[in-house]
C-alpha cells in the first residue's frame, strides 16, 4: 500500500531524525530502541545486526510501532507507524551505507572506518521493513 502523506509530514520524515522502534519482549512488555530509518512512501526501512535483541524479538512477534518525533525547539510533531515488520537477510548493509551520510559526518575518519568495517561483513546485517497498517500523527 502506498501512503500519501501531506507535504509537511513527508518533509518532516525526510530530515535526519532518529526513530524509536518499539517491540515486545517475551513477557509482552514494550522495549524501544533508537534507529536510523528511511520512509519510502510505502514502508519504513531500518537495518540491524542480525544478532541484535530487537531482531530476536521481531522473529518472535513481528508487529511493532515506530515513532518519529520533533527535535527540541521545533514545533511539536510526531508520526507513528504501526504494523508488521518483515526481516530480510539482504539489503541491510546497502541501507546502512545509504543512510550513513544522513546521520554521520562522513568527513570523520572514524565514521568512515566504521562504515568500511560494516561493509566488510554484510552478512552480519539484516533489513527491517515495517509495513504500516496504520499511521498515527500528532501536533
Amino acid at each position: 500500500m502506498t501512503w500519501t502523506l501531506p507535504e509537511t509530514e513527508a518533509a518532516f520524515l525526510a530530515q535526519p531524525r532518529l526513530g524509536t522502534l518499539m517491540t515486545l519482549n517475551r513477557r509482552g512488555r514494550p522495549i524501544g530502541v533508537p534507529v536510523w530509518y528511511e520512509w519510502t512512501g510505502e514502508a519504513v526501512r531500518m537495518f540491524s545486526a542480525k544478532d541484535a535483541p530487537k531482531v530476536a524479538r521481531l522473529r518472535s512477534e513481528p508487529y511493532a510501532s515506530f515513532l518519529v518525533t520533533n527535535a527540541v525547539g521545533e514545533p511539536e510533531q510526531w508520526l507513528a507507524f504501526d504494523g508488521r515488520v518483515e526481516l530480510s537477510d539482504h539489503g541491510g548493509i546497502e541501507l546502512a551505507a545509504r543512510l550513513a551520510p544522513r546521520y554521520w559526518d562522513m568527513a570523520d575518519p572514524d565514521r568512515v572506518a566504521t562504515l568500511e568495517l560494516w561493509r566488510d561483513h554484510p552478512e552480519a546485517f539484516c533489513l527491517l521493513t515495517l509495513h504500516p497498517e496504520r499511521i498515527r500523527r500528532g501536533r
Side-chain angles (χ1 to χ4, degrees):
M1 166 188 260
T2 300
W3 296 83
T4 303
L5 297 178
E7 189 175 315
T8 56
E9 291 179 353
F12 176 79
L13 292 173
Q15 294 177 12
R17 301 176 185 281
L18 292 176
T20 303
L21 177 64
M22 288 159 283
T23 58
L24 297 176
N25 70 14
R26 288 182 303 229
R27 292 181 279 175
R29 295 188 175 134
I31 297 176
V33 294
V35 295
W36 296 356
Y37 73 93
E38 101 179 333
W39 168 246
T40 68
E42 295 180 5
V44 177
R45 289 189 180 156
M46 303 155 275
F47 69 94
S48 177
K50 287 180 184 176
D51 62 355
K54 66 180 165 277
V55 173
R57 290 190 299 271
L58 288 166
R59 288 190 197 289
S60 174
E61 173 53 63
Y63 288 91
S65 186
F66 182 76
L67 175 67
V68 181
T69 65
N70 60 289
V72 174
E74 291 181 325
E76 187 173 320
Q77 182 175 2
W78 58 269
L79 290 164
F81 302 84
D82 304 322
R84 185 178 182 89
V85 177
E86 174 188 342
L87 300 173
S88 173
D89 287 338
H90 306 287
I93 193 61
E94 291 82 5
L95 180 62
R98 194 166 57 251
L99 292 179
R102 177 178 176 176
Y103 290 96
W104 283 348
D105 174 4
M106 296 310 291
D108 180 338
D110 291 336
R111 299 296 193 187
V112 172
T114 298
L115 182 57
E116 288 307 313
L117 180 63
W118 291 357
R119 284 183 168 145
D120 289 343
H121 301 283
E123 72 285 351
F125 293 88
C126 63
L127 180 67
L128 290 68
T129 305
L130 189 152
H131 300 281
E133 296 171 1
R134 178 172 69 153
I135 299 176
R136 296 175 288 124
R137 50 189 45 89
R139 288 188 179 258

